[in-house]
Amino acid sequence: MPTAILTGPPVPGSSLDGDLRSLGFDVQVSSGADRTAELLAAAPAAERVAVVDPRFVGHVHSLRLALTDPRFPVAAVPGALTAQPGARAALSGALAAAVSSSAVDTGPSTTVRAARTLPDALVDVLTADGTAVHRPDLGSLTATVPQDAQSRNEARQAVAAVDEEAVRLRSAVKARDGFFTTFAISPYSRYLARWCARRGFTPNQVTTASLITALIAAAAAATGTRGGFVAAGALLLFSFVLDCADGQLARYSLQYSTMGAWLDATFDRAKEYAYYAGLALGAAQGGDDVWGLALGAMVLQTCRHVVDFSFNEANHDAVSNTSPTAALSDRLDSVGWTVWVRRMIVLPIGERWAMIAVLTAVATPRIVFYALLVGCSFAACYTTAGRLLRSLTRKATRTDRAAGALADLADSGPLAETTARALGRLVRGLPALAPPALALLGGAGLVTAAALSDYGSLWPLIAAAVYVITSGIAVARPLKGALDWLVPPIFRAAEYGTFLALAARAEVDGATGALPAAFGLVAAVAYHHYDTVYRIRGGTGAPPNWLVRAIGGHEGRVLIVTLLATLVPDTGFTIALTTLAAVIALVVLVESTRFWVSSSAPAVHDEGETA
């Protein structure tokens, strides 16, 4: 149990002791600075500890934000400070330094003192020593240490004047979200989150319920009946309500966790792509083969995300990161209605799922995929055009960290790395646009050969060999150019597009089930690419090099699949793709699960950023 140390006897009539206990703290009362140090040393080493001035007056949620948020090693509000186990040594050192100063007030007195409270003095010392102290944004909430009876009465009146529960519910909703989520889901999903909190449900349980609901929706769509499609659309919307509620529950109760962030990030993709598969199975029940459309929608959606991730990582810490396009975007954001229009244009998850759900209920799976492909293509063009304009009009120096992140996102395997080392000296003098141009040239040639050649032709294999060379040259030097962030999404489009084209050609020649098998292969590889993004965003770097080598890198997988398409009869191509998908999924999922279960890094993903 965490410990809260009051630096003096409680003020008569104060609810502070009960407030701290309601937050799960074991409250200990100190009689002075020496006793505070003893209590700090005696507190369980594996638990957080808080130091609170007994005169503190404020909302319980102010204390909750400051003292229970698991994301921050040290956090504080006026009169209260907390440190997690990793920061206990720094807190002990700060206490020794603070109590040696005569400017510290350790508790109530019969006289008015102008000295700083002990928690506030500890914050000053910790900050001076370089320890990051999180100070939550309290908004209209109160957190103060009154120095006299009049000030205490005024503080209590300020506490009573604010509806704390209303503030807590509002803060549970993300400040920046899509139009549909903001106006059609969050107004009531926050109450669902509160209902879950009061019954002891955790965000991870709600996230899992959202996944199960989406899988049931996919199963309903797979029936191919009108009733199944209507039920699927309704269940998909309810799954999205739960998807919003899990994050709101985490913010409402401050139940943040690495596992929860990872589940939320990965389950979103699993739900959507499982639903695509359900629609394709349902269409097949009526004699309509839309697996190619389903795979195309998944490829397009994943490539859109990689564009967002790659651009953001390239400019995460760029120096002189300004451009006229960015300035125009900021001006547009100052006009209220344009903000919502621009958020809807990019077709974020809320708008996308609403469109899918409605069209599933009233139309056919083919219409759903047509709408997805058109809407996502328009959104991709809009966002990519904005990022291209920003990149070409800004004068920015990209850092080694950004170049390293782009190299990790490229997912280059041993063949591309060997090529890069062999030809590295020859490419140093190439123009700045050479990396994305070479990646595009090799990728376009590969997909074209796969799409236009007959199944079993040598041309896709030859194009894959050329792609290995162009891919290696593209990453032979650090990716610091203005448009080098395009290299990873080009690689993704080339790899996924090749799998789609080869499977489609195989089905034309009679390979039944090649497109569903390619769907599974792309899903397995895409999970690896999303996992790479989440690790980089969490500050832990890319997956281990052995994993990238074990699954071949993007160029190795392309070479393997084109070789299979050349050598394996069309009837065996489906089995080969299925086997490859199963092996990659098994290796990637085992390593990813091991990492996130044992990691303390946050998993972060973005959805639907404006251009």
Side-chain angles (χ1 to χ4, degrees):
M1 177 180 289
T3 301
I5 303 171
L6 297 181
T7 59
V11 173
S14 172
S15 63
L16 181 59
D17 183 283
D19 292 342
L20 291 170
R21 294 185 187 279
S22 72
L23 297 176
F25 284 94
D26 175 29
V27 180
Q28 301 290 329
V29 179
S30 170
S31 57
D34 292 339
R35 179 58 178 163
T36 299
E38 293 175 0
L39 291 172
L40 179 59
E47 299 286 351
R48 73 162 63 234
V49 66
V51 179
V52 184
D53 191 288
R55 298 162 296 179
F56 176 89
V57 175
H59 292 94
V60 176
H61 195 51
S62 296
L63 291 172
R64 181 182 291 107
L65 290 172
L67 304 184
T68 67
D69 196 326
R71 297 173 297 174
F72 307 104
V74 182
V77 291
L81 166 74
T82 188
Q84 295 204 55
R88 287 279 291 275
L91 178 58
S92 297
L95 178 60
V99 296
S100 64
S101 171
S102 59
V104 174
D105 179 3
T106 59
S109 171
T110 55
T111 60
V112 175
R113 301 180 183 181
R116 292 183 61 71
T117 67
L118 179 57
D120 295 340
L122 291 173
V123 170
D124 292 343
V125 175
L126 288 167
T127 302
D129 289 342
T131 300
V133 180
H134 172 66
R135 294 173 174 83
D137 181 10
L138 300 180
S140 59
L141 298 177
T142 297
T144 186
V145 180
Q147 297 292 325
D148 54 43
Q150 180 178 350
S151 299
R152 173 170 291 275
N153 184 56
E154 293 172 353
R156 286 175 171 170
Q157 291 178 359
V159 170
V162 174
D163 186 344
E164 181 177 7
E165 182 61 21
V167 172
R168 191 178 175 189
L169 278 172
R170 284 196 302 270
S171 65
V173 178
K174 285 197 295 189
R176 178 187 173 89
D177 221 330
F179 181 88
F180 179 77
T181 304
T182 299
F183 295 102
I185 302 297
S186 291
Y188 59 87
S189 64
R190 70 185 74 180
Y191 295 101
L192 175 60
R194 182 174 66 180
W195 182 89
C196 292
R198 291 178 175 177
R199 283 154 183 81
F201 292 110
T202 67
N204 289 355
Q205 291 172 331
V206 178
T207 302
T208 303
S210 175
L211 173 66
I212 293 172
T213 303
L215 294 179
I216 296 174
T223 64
T225 63
R226 176 52 51 194
F229 287 146
V230 172
L235 286 168
L236 185 66
L237 282 178
F238 182 61
S239 174
F240 183 65
V241 172
L242 293 174
D243 184 52
C244 294
D246 64 359
Q248 292 166 354
L249 173 58
R251 287 182 288 273
Y252 181 84
S253 57
L254 300 185
Q255 296 183 72
Y256 301 103
S257 70
T258 297
M259 175 63 75
W262 173 61
L263 290 177
D264 184 52
T266 56
F267 280 9
D268 278 352
R269 304 284 76 79
K271 289 181 288 189
E272 187 164 4
Y273 297 157
Y275 193 81
Y276 291 178
L279 285 174
L281 290 170
Q285 296 289 335
D288 190 11
D289 186 354
V290 297
W291 276 107
L293 295 176
L295 180 51
M298 182 166 67
V299 169
L300 179 57
Q301 188 60 28
T302 304
C303 289
R304 277 187 62 202
H305 287 150
V306 176
V307 167
D308 291 341
F309 297 143
S310 188
F311 177 81
N312 290 335
E313 287 303 316
N315 297 279
H316 178 72
D317 47 7
V319 180
S320 302
N321 195 5
T322 59
S323 75
T325 308
L328 174 61
S329 179
D330 292 339
R331 286 197 296 272
L332 288 174
D333 281 344
S334 65
V335 182
W337 64 270
T338 65
V339 175
W340 296 115
V341 171
R342 293 169 70 230
R343 291 184 188 178
M344 287 188 290
I345 285 176
V346 301
L347 206 62
I349 188 171
E351 278 75 359
R352 193 167 66 249
W353 282 28
M355 180 184 73
I356 293 172
V358 171
L359 290 178
T360 298
V362 302
T364 65
R366 181 172 290 272
I367 297 299
V368 174
F369 287 123
Y370 282 157
L372 265 176
L373 289 169
V374 171
C376 289
S377 295
F378 179 80
C381 291
Y382 169 75
T383 55
T384 304
R387 284 155 172 73
L388 286 170
L389 286 174
R390 291 191 184 196
S391 299
L392 293 172
T393 57
R394 67 159 47 111
K395 296 180 180 180
T397 301
R398 292 189 170 87
T399 63
D400 291 338
R401 177 210 169 276
L406 290 180
D408 292 334
L409 289 173
D411 191 33
S412 298
L415 295 178
E417 290 177 348
T418 301
T419 303
R421 286 193 297 268
L423 303 178
R425 293 182 179 179
L426 301 178
V427 301
R428 290 177 182 173
L430 291 179
L433 294 180
L438 285 167
L440 182 60
L441 178 64
L446 173 63
V447 175
T448 300
L452 299 182
S453 302
D454 292 334
Y455 181 80
S457 169
L458 280 173
W459 286 113
L461 182 59
I462 295 172
V466 174
Y467 177 74
V468 169
I469 297 173
T470 58
S471 299
I473 297 175
V475 297
R477 66 188 186 194
L479 298 175
K480 292 186 176 181
L483 297 181
D484 284 359
W485 57 270
L486 286 170
V487 171
I490 290 173
F491 286 165
R492 297 296 81 76
E495 180 182 5
Y496 302 160
T498 299
F499 298 164
L500 169 59
L502 290 174
R505 298 300 301 186
E507 290 225 345
V508 170
D509 283 7
T512 304
L515 279 170
F519 186 95
L521 177 58
V522 172
V525 176
Y527 176 84
H528 165 62
H529 291 144
Y530 279 113
D531 187 56
T532 300
V533 170
Y534 304 148
R535 295 194 195 209
I536 293 173
R537 290 274 175 106
T540 61
N545 192 48
W546 71 261
L547 177 64
V548 177
R549 289 177 173 273
I551 60 176
H554 68 97
E555 80 290 351
R557 290 187 294 272
V558 162
L559 195 61
I560 291 172
V561 173
T562 53
L563 183 62
L564 290 172
T566 303
L567 300 178
V568 177
D570 51 21
T571 54
F573 189 58
T574 297
I575 298 174
L577 288 182
T578 303
T579 303
L580 182 60
V583 171
I584 291 176
L586 178 63
V587 174
V588 170
L589 283 171
V590 169
E591 161 56 22
S592 176
T593 304
R594 180 209 62 79
F595 173 80
W596 288 111
V597 168
S598 61
S599 173
S600 59
V604 187
H605 70 102
D606 288 334
E607 174 84 50
E609 294 186 356
T610 54

